[in-house]
């Protein structure tokens, strides 16, 4: 019988991507995914360190899992902690949670099968000889691997056999920008771009396995500069725009391309132009600005001011008038005054975002901002966050309302919650619920938007006029 693997994923889309790859790596060892931790033979917590209380969350989840294992007498369950908390606090995790078998970082998860084999042997031996923690659980193997190895994990990942209609493809990882608030350059390491040929091969494999939309992923994805294909003209590395054009030209049946997350500094001319002339590139761009105050952007070391952001948005809108934007914001950064915050509100009013994520600043140990003076009092942070979110929510609602009554191309992705219903996505990445048959999954249909839900739209497939039955016949039936 297949063993069951439960993965709990925290944080960003890169973590979602990594979790899927870990599941694929463990399939040959007989592990099949489960959504139910209560029946798992192995549990992986794929963690995020970007904001507050990351490690607290991990330790409390480990406690819950421990209680569950004790209750069901499942002492041989293998427990692994992966992701950015593992990278940052691996040794501490092994010390504080002695029943954890494996701790591995984002750059070493290709070694997971070997570590699981070692952990299984160690755990079997320890259960037999009953070496236990103070809570009576068998001790874990305590294997720690948080290196930044010379080999790239991407060279060791299996070819995808089965893909969702909307798939992620990691093309770049790590970051050299060192924004003063951010842990990514420390947990994910230096910037690294995968070679173009590998990415094109992987995109073809994803499409062959069922993908129609690919989101190119990277922490700083538009800093991409991957090795050019053998014999290609025009430089030894290619920027993101060139890669997008290659995918659009060379991967038939790839209907939609997206990319995330971008940095304003790296929006070059060709990438802006690609938004105007690559039809597969969807008109929705996540372009974090973080703050609308030049002074704050400077102390954040963002390497761009508000004007550059405005100019880029204008140029992108000139290239593709229906382009919609989303962004990330941090409020209450050290030293942020009421005036700085007002500048953020002004920028938001000016740009009009289709959606956005906003956060209270959270000091991350080891980052320069954690040592900065003039913290903003928590109550003030809360008030600013509320005010900003109210504005962003209103803009998101207005953006969705504008879709009402319109006919939009919707890529049908997966079954909805109700029978007979599918969930798809508009070009602007809005989720749409539509009555349609499972056989239509993977198709792009024209749908009229009929209703707005809290988190999604509802629509009806629009029958093209040529296919409509003549009126007289309709009357007969
Ligand atoms: N505090 C609050 N938000 C943060 N982010 C990154 N680091 C922090 C932090 N220390 C936010 C930024 C980034 C998003 C992924 O998370 O807005 O763009
Ligand atoms: Fe973090 Fe800044 Fe790099 Fe984004 S660009 S990952 S916020 S350091």
């Amino acid at each position: 019988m297949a063993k069951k693997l439960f993965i709990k994923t925290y944080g960003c889309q890169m973590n979602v991507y990594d979790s899927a790859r870990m599941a694929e790596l463990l399939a040959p060892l007989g592990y099949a995914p489960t959504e139910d931790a209560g029946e798992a033979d192995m549990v992986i917590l794929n963690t995020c360190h970007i904001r507050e209380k990351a490690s607290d969350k991990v330790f409390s989840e480990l406690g819950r899992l421990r209680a569950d294992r004790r209750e069901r007498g499942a002492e041989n369950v293998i427990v692994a902690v992966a992701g950015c908390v593992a990278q940052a606090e691996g040794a501490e995790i092994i010390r504080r949670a002695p029943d954890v078998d494996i701790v591995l970082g984002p750059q070493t998860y290709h070694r997971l099968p070997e570590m699981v084999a070692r952990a299984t042997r160690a755990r079997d031996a320890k259960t037999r000889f009953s070496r236990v923690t103070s809570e009576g659980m068998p001790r874990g193997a305590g294997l720690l691997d948080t290196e930044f190895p010379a080999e790239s994990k991407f060279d060791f990942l299996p070819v995808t056999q089965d893909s969702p209609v909307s798939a992620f493809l990691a093309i770049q990882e790590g970051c050299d920008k060192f924004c003063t608030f951010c842990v990514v350059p420390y947990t994910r390491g230096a910037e690294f771009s995968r070679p173009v040929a590998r990415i094109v091969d992987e995109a073809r494999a994803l499409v062959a396995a069922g993908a129609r939309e690919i989101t190119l992923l990277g922490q700083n994805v538009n800093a991409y500069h991957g090795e050019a294909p053998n014999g290609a003209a025009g430089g030894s590395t290619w920027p993101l725009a060139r890669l997008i054009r290659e995918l659009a030209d060379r991967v038939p049946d790839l209907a939609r391309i997206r990319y995330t997350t971008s940095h304003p500094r790296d929006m070059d001319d060709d990438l802006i132009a690609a938004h105007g002339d690559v039809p597969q590139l969807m008109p929705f761009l996540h372009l974090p600005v973080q703050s609308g105050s030049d002074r704050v952007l400077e102390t954040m070391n963002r390497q761009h001011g508000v004007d550059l952001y405005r100019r880029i948005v204008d140029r992108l809108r000139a290239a593709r008038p229906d382009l919609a934007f989303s962004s990330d914001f941090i409020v209450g950064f050290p030293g942020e005054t009421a005036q700085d915050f007002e500048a953020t509100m002004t920028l938001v009013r000016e740009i009009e975002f289709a959606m956005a994520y906003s956060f209270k600043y959270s000091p991350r140990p080891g980052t320069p901002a954690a040592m900065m003076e003039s913290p903003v009092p928590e109550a003030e942070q809360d008030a600013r966050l509320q005010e900003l979110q109210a504005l962003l929510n209103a803009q998101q609602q207005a953006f969705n309302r504008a879709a009402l009554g319109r006919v939009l191309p919707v890529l049908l992705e997966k079954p909805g919650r109700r029978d007979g219903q599918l969930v798809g996505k508009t070009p602007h990445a809005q989720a749409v619920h539509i009555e349609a048959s499972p056989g239509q999954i993977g198709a792009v249909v024209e749908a009229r938007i009929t209703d707005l839900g809290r988190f999604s739209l509802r629509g009806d497939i629009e029958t093209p006029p040529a296919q409509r039955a003549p009126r007289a016949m309709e009357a007969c039936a």
Side-chain angles (χ1 to χ4, degrees):
M1 216 173 65
K3 290 175 281 187
K4 296 280 170 52
L5 170 66
F6 173 76
I7 306 185
K8 181 160 182 169
T9 307
Y10 301 82
C12 65
Q13 278 165 341
M14 188 66 94
N15 263 13
V16 175
Y17 178 86
D18 291 344
S19 291
R21 302 291 81 75
M22 285 191 264
E24 285 173 353
L25 280 163
L26 293 178
L29 271 65
Y31 284 97
T34 175
E35 306 266 303
D36 177 5
E39 61 166 20
D41 300 286
M42 174 164 180
V43 171
I44 301 176
L45 301 183
N46 193 10
T47 61
C48 170
H49 204 230
I50 202 123
R51 278 175 297 273
E52 244 170 336
K53 303 198 176 84
S55 48
D56 293 356
K57 276 189 215 153
V58 174
F59 286 114
S60 63
E61 186 62 28
L62 285 170
R64 262 195 299 278
L65 291 166
R66 194 173 298 131
D68 166 71
R69 295 202 306 281
R70 198 179 300 127
E71 205 168 288
R72 64 187 172 107
E75 297 183 330
N76 270 336
V77 173
I78 302 282
V79 179
V81 181
C84 292
V85 179
Q87 186 66 43
E89 299 184 30
E92 174 74 359
I93 292 170
I94 300 258
R95 194 182 65 73
R96 274 183 60 187
D99 56 330
V100 168
D101 298 274
I102 296 170
V103 171
L104 78 172
Q107 304 310 341
T108 51
Y109 67 72
H110 56 296
R111 298 173 179 166
L112 192 54
E114 181 197 321
M115 294 177 87
V116 170
R118 280 171 58 200
T120 308
R121 282 197 299 276
R123 181 146 282 225
D124 287 350
K126 280 169 184 167
T127 314
R128 245 182 288 130
F129 301 120
S130 45
R131 281 189 50 205
V132 292
T133 66
S134 56
E135 292 177 80
M137 298 299 286
R139 296 185 79 84
L143 304 171
L144 173 73
D145 189 350
T146 49
E147 274 184 49
F148 288 102
E151 83 268 12
S152 161
K153 68 179 174 231
F154 293 110
D155 296 342
F156 296 84
L157 302 181
V159 176
T160 301
Q161 299 299 326
D162 187 22
S163 169
V165 168
S166 177
F168 293 126
L169 201 175
I171 64 164
Q172 179 278 343
E173 213 181 339
C175 183
D176 295 340
K177 290 280 189 300
F178 289 93
C179 300
T180 52
F181 52 80
C182 183
V183 286
V184 166
Y186 311 96
T187 58
R188 291 273 170 173
E191 221 224 286
F192 164 80
S193 293
R194 297 178 68 195
V196 171
R198 292 270 165 74
I199 294 167
V200 174
D201 285 351
E202 195 168 319
R204 287 200 178 111
L206 285 167
V207 170
R212 304 281 335 268
E213 169 175 285
I214 291 181
T215 301
L216 306 173
L217 279 187
Q219 263 91 34
N220 201 171
V221 74
N222 56 341
Y224 176 83
H225 57 286
E227 185 189 317
N230 271 344
S236 57
T237 64
W238 280 10
L240 180 61
R242 184 103 194 252
L243 172 70
I244 288 172
R245 293 178 192 281
E246 182 82 355
L247 292 170
D249 290 346
R250 304 271 172 120
V251 187
D253 292 334
L254 176 56
R256 294 181 166 189
I257 301 173
R258 303 176 189 273
Y259 62 93
T260 196
T261 291
S262 296
H263 192 287
R265 265 287 293 265
D266 296 317
M267 291 304 304
D268 63 34
D269 294 349
D270 194 21
L271 189 53
I272 293 173
H275 277 278
D277 58 35
V278 178
Q280 293 95 324
L281 190 54
M282 287 295 102
F284 181 79
L285 180 63
H286 184 59
L287 190 64
V289 63
Q290 313 295 355
S291 166
S293 152
D294 280 333
R295 218 181 51 78
V296 172
L297 290 172
E298 175 78 38
T299 51
M300 286 177 165
N301 187 33
R302 285 289 293 176
Q303 306 173 38
H304 65 83
V306 183
D307 259 355
L308 179 75
Y309 190 83
R310 273 196 202 104
R311 260 203 326 274
I312 290 167
V313 169
D314 288 348
R315 289 180 60 207
L316 280 159
R317 281 182 169 152
R320 175 92 201 225
D322 65 339
L323 189 65
F325 291 88
S326 74
S327 180
D328 292 339
F329 295 91
I330 296 178
V331 301
F333 189 74
E336 184 192 70
T337 62
Q339 214 179 353
D340 293 322
F341 175 67
E342 205 33 59
T344 300
M345 295 291 284
T346 303
L347 181 69
V348 172
R349 281 187 208 103
E350 223 177 279
I351 305 277
E352 297 191 18
F353 292 94
M355 62 101 58
Y357 303 95
S358 47
F359 314 100
K360 275 194 292 189
Y361 168 67
S362 152
R364 308 282 65 218
T367 58
M371 264 95 73
M372 285 181 187
E373 290 172 0
S374 319
V376 175
E378 176 111 22
E380 188 57 42
Q381 284 191 325
D382 286 333
R384 289 179 193 175
L385 188 64
Q386 233 178 38
E387 200 181 328
L388 175 62
Q389 287 183 341
L391 177 59
L392 291 168
N393 284 341
Q395 292 190 344
Q396 180 167 0
Q397 279 171 23
F399 183 78
N400 288 340
R401 221 175 300 121
L404 255 185
R406 291 184 57 201
V407 176
L408 301 172
V410 174
L411 172 60
L412 298 173
E413 292 184 8
K414 54 191 173 195
R417 230 175 287 134
R418 282 196 287 111
D419 270 358
Q421 196 187 53
L422 299 182
V423 188
K425 233 186 280 128
T426 68
H428 291 121
Q430 297 146 296
V432 190
H433 286 84
I434 291 183
E435 305 291 315
S437 66
Q440 289 172 287
I441 288 178
V444 178
V445 297
E446 294 294 314
R448 187 174 297 281
I449 305 304
T450 55
D451 210 352
L452 303 179
R454 231 164 90 74
F455 301 107
S456 63
L457 312 177
R458 271 182 288 279
D460 289 333
I461 293 180
E462 185 83 346
T463 312
Q467 286 174 24
R468 259 186 218 137
R471 269 191 180 286
M473 282 184 60
E474 270 175 3
C476 283

